[in-house]
Amino acid sequence: MSKTIFVLNGPNLNMLGKREPGIYGGKTLADVEADCLKAGAELGLDVDFRQSNHEGDLVSWIHEAGEKAVGVAINAGAYTHTSIALHDAIKAVSPLPVIEVHISNVHAREEFRHKSMIAPACKGVICGFGPQSYILALQALKTITQ
Ligand code: DQA
């Protein structure tokens, strides 16, 4: 039976492709979704890919993952740096493995991006590999959920 992974995306990630392409590259979120579905199929993972600009949607989807998924990869966008609610939601579904994902290397950018509110609640963090960060997270989830 194939395992379900939720891949969750936060604010402004719907703008990928148009948004600061020097930092985030030229792929759209639909391209990233297609890459994740393809990688998921190869890994035997059923990828449920979602995006919202609203913090509460992300909180509810993490709760839903606690019922339906074996793991989560989340690019919480700027909520990464601010959201205690996302930290608490990840803790609330523990021990479900949640991996924090970023396209850019947040540590090589502005200081306000160096702090993650969700990292202490996550299994691990992958950042700086462009859209490949998502695929690396899927590979990691495949390994740790075996
Ligand atoms: C991001 C990094 C965040 O700091 C930023 O707010 C984003 C995108 C990334 O994928 O590199 O929206 O999460």
Side-chain angles (χ1 to χ4, degrees):
M1 209 181 76
S2 109
K3 297 170 173 176
T4 299
I5 302 289
F6 278 20
V7 178
L8 304 180
N9 293 277
N12 300 306
L13 289 161
N14 57 310
M15 300 298 285
L16 279 184
K18 294 186 211 143
R19 174 192 184 199
E20 298 184 89
I23 294 174
Y24 298 114
K27 281 195 175 186
T28 65
L29 193 64
D31 295 332
V32 176
E33 177 173 10
D35 290 348
C36 285
L37 292 179
K38 183 167 177 281
E42 286 163 10
L43 291 165
L45 302 172
D46 189 5
V47 172
D48 189 332
F49 192 98
R50 306 180 188 187
Q51 189 274 333
S52 175
N53 292 321
H54 304 280
E55 187 176 13
D57 287 341
L58 297 165
V59 169
S60 297
W61 290 342
I62 290 166
H63 296 169
E64 187 184 337
E67 307 287 323
K68 297 184 183 164
V70 298
V72 175
I74 181 166
N75 184 348
Y79 289 141
T80 304
H81 315 299
T82 62
S83 180
I84 296 169
L86 286 178
H87 173 112
D88 286 352
I90 294 165
K91 285 276 197 187
V93 295
S94 176
L96 185 76
V98 178
I99 298 184
E100 177 183 331
V101 173
H102 300 286
I103 296 167
S104 65
N105 178 355
V106 286
H107 300 289
R109 299 181 62 195
E110 303 95 323
E111 194 153 353
F112 64 83
R113 295 185 205 278
H114 298 179
K115 173 81 183 164
S116 168
M117 298 304 289
I118 67 171
C122 286
K123 180 80 181 167
V125 180
I126 298 172
C127 77
F129 297 96
Q132 184 72 12
S133 295
Y134 288 82
I135 308 303
L136 294 170
L138 290 174
Q139 289 170 346
L141 285 164
K142 166 76 178 177
T143 303
I144 63 181
T145 60
Q146 249 159 12

